[in-house]
Amino acid sequence: MSEAAQQGINIDTMSLDQLNSLKQQQQNRLESLSVQYNAFKDAKDRLSLAKESLATIPTDGEGGQEIMIPLTESLYAPGKIVDPNKILVELGAGFFVEKSANDALKVLERKYKVVDKNTENVMSAIEVSSRNVQALNQAMQGKMMEIQAKQAGAAYKKQMEGSK
């Protein structure tokens, strides 16, 4: 069942202009959801990369492993890991906490699960909006056929009256 039907909107009684307006709203919603989906997908990719990077740090010895520290997306500085069991993890909103490598990995896994669930929810909403747009397109085609049939009927009636 389409979202419009769930909300109690009877698209069969709407005018062509109303259908077009509703279709535009659904297309805008679909575009917004697609942007959100891509943002979640990018976040999942970053979290996966962080987990992979964390797995490369040896935690059983002292520091000293050389790494490249990102200053921007394309600018890095050389550095060394002082203590591989003291990892700063962003909790969100600019808050960081020091964790062991294993605890940092658990935080990343929890964040990944949350982002993954949000991605699934957005995908479900995208599917609903897509079905709504398809239903509105079908309703608009039906209205157009109805208008054309009325026009053809009126033209035929006028032709028949003119031939009398």
Side-chain angles (χ1 to χ4, degrees):
M1 182 183 293
S2 72
E3 184 179 314
Q6 289 174 349
Q7 293 176 352
I9 299 173
N10 186 353
I11 60 176
D12 294 330
T13 62
M14 297 176 83
S15 71
L16 194 55
D17 288 339
Q18 290 171 323
L19 288 170
N20 194 36
S21 176
L22 187 57
K23 177 184 165 190
Q24 187 63 43
Q25 288 173 3
Q26 285 298 310
Q27 286 176 325
N28 290 343
R29 180 173 187 252
L30 194 55
E31 185 176 317
S32 174
L33 289 168
S34 294
V35 168
Q36 287 179 2
Y37 176 80
N38 289 331
F40 283 134
K41 187 175 175 291
D42 290 344
K44 283 174 58 175
D45 291 344
R46 285 192 309 273
L47 289 168
S48 291
L49 183 60
K51 289 189 324 186
E52 290 172 17
S53 297
L54 190 57
T56 65
I57 299 173
T59 58
D60 54 355
E62 292 191 24
Q65 181 181 0
E66 291 188 10
I67 60 169
M68 297 301 288
I69 302 168
L71 301 176
T72 67
E73 285 187 32
S74 60
L75 183 63
Y76 295 83
K80 287 187 179 184
I81 296 176
V82 177
D83 185 348
N85 277 310
K86 289 185 178 178
I87 308 292
L88 283 178
V89 180
E90 183 181 13
L91 297 177
F95 289 100
F96 292 83
V97 65
E98 189 175 285
K99 296 277 188 183
S100 70
N102 287 337
D103 288 343
L105 188 58
K106 289 176 186 174
V107 169
L108 292 173
E109 287 171 354
R110 282 194 306 267
K111 286 176 119 179
Y112 186 90
K113 286 179 184 176
V114 168
V115 171
D116 192 46
K117 183 66 177 166
N118 286 337
T119 303
E120 289 174 14
N121 291 341
V122 169
M123 182 51 76
S124 295
I126 286 173
E127 290 169 0
V128 168
S129 284
S130 182
R131 285 192 305 266
N132 287 347
V133 168
Q134 288 174 350
L136 289 165
N137 278 333
Q138 289 175 347
M140 289 174 70
Q141 287 175 349
K143 289 286 183 188
M144 290 298 292
M145 289 173 54
E146 183 180 315
I147 290 169
Q148 289 171 348
K150 284 182 182 178
Q151 288 174 344
Y156 180 76
K157 183 179 177 183
K158 186 175 181 180
Q159 181 184 14
M160 294 308 286
E161 289 174 354
S163 66
K164 286 184 181 181

